Amino acid sequence: MKTQYRSLTLLAEVLFVGLLACAASVFVMTSLAAAAAGSVLLAEVAADGRTPSVRRFARLFRAALAHPVALLAPAGLLVVGAVDVLAVLGGLPGGRVFGAVLGLVLAALMAAGLRAAAAWRPDRHWPAVLADAGRGTVSDWRGSLGLVVAIVVVAVVVVQAPGFVVVAPGLLVLAAVAVAVR
């Protein structure tokens, strides 16, 4: 019976972290820091059963925002996404092929961002974390593919049921922590 309650508690904690990460990601530029703070909380839940709290999330979120790269990386991702949309919708010659290539690059960058969020800790600096995540994205292609599939599945769910947007970040953070732990 305790196992059943523990699994429900874990589900509630993942949903709670998803709500916190969603609230902190309202300004899209803070999404990497929000995912990093959420991943630390979920890693603590998995490692020693520590219950996540708003206060702990806020401290981690502030620590993650301390370096400007935490804001610049999502900006770069937005630029790549905007160029992708412009290439596909703008009617550029070869725009469909260029859009598909940029879509793959965008998926790889999102997987690297999730890996970086899962690897970040308050004592680590973002440039080193992002560099490690980039190498990990290439060397552990199976984990990266799993993250891309998670991104696609969560995107499809959110498109079909927009109400799930509030827990979607928690699910992606959970996927990133699971890939990192495995």
Side-chain angles (χ1 to χ4, degrees):
M1 194 63 128
K2 284 191 173 204
T3 305
Q4 186 179 27
Y5 287 127
R6 180 63 192 140
S7 62
L8 289 175
T9 303
L10 180 61
L11 173 65
E13 289 166 341
V14 168
L15 295 177
F16 179 63
V17 168
L19 289 171
L20 292 174
C22 183
S25 297
V26 167
F27 308 108
V28 175
M29 303 300 286
T30 60
S31 60
L32 183 61
S39 73
V40 171
L41 288 180
L42 287 181
E44 291 172 352
V45 167
D48 45 326
R50 184 175 180 179
T51 302
S53 69
V54 174
R55 180 177 290 153
R56 175 86 173 127
F57 181 84
R59 277 196 307 265
L60 291 167
F61 183 62
R62 277 193 304 270
L65 283 176
H67 199 285
V69 172
L71 295 172
L72 294 175
L77 196 63
L78 285 173
V79 168
V80 171
V83 169
D84 188 24
V85 169
L86 289 174
V88 172
L89 298 179
L92 293 172
R96 297 246 185 239
V97 173
F98 184 66
V101 169
L102 272 180
L104 290 174
V105 169
L106 186 63
L109 288 174
M110 289 178 74
L114 282 172
R115 280 181 178 275
W120 179 84
R121 296 295 175 263
D123 60 339
R124 296 193 66 201
H125 296 289
W126 278 112
V129 171
L130 286 168
D132 290 344
R135 284 189 291 276
T137 301
V138 174
S139 65
D140 179 23
W141 62 270
R142 287 184 178 104
S144 300
L145 184 61
L147 288 174
V148 169
V149 168
I151 292 166
V152 170
V153 167
V154 167
V156 168
V157 168
V158 168
V159 166
Q160 295 298 317
F164 281 102
V165 74
V166 295
V167 295
L171 298 173
L172 291 176
V173 167
L174 178 63
V177 170
V179 166
V181 168
R182 94 178 153 79

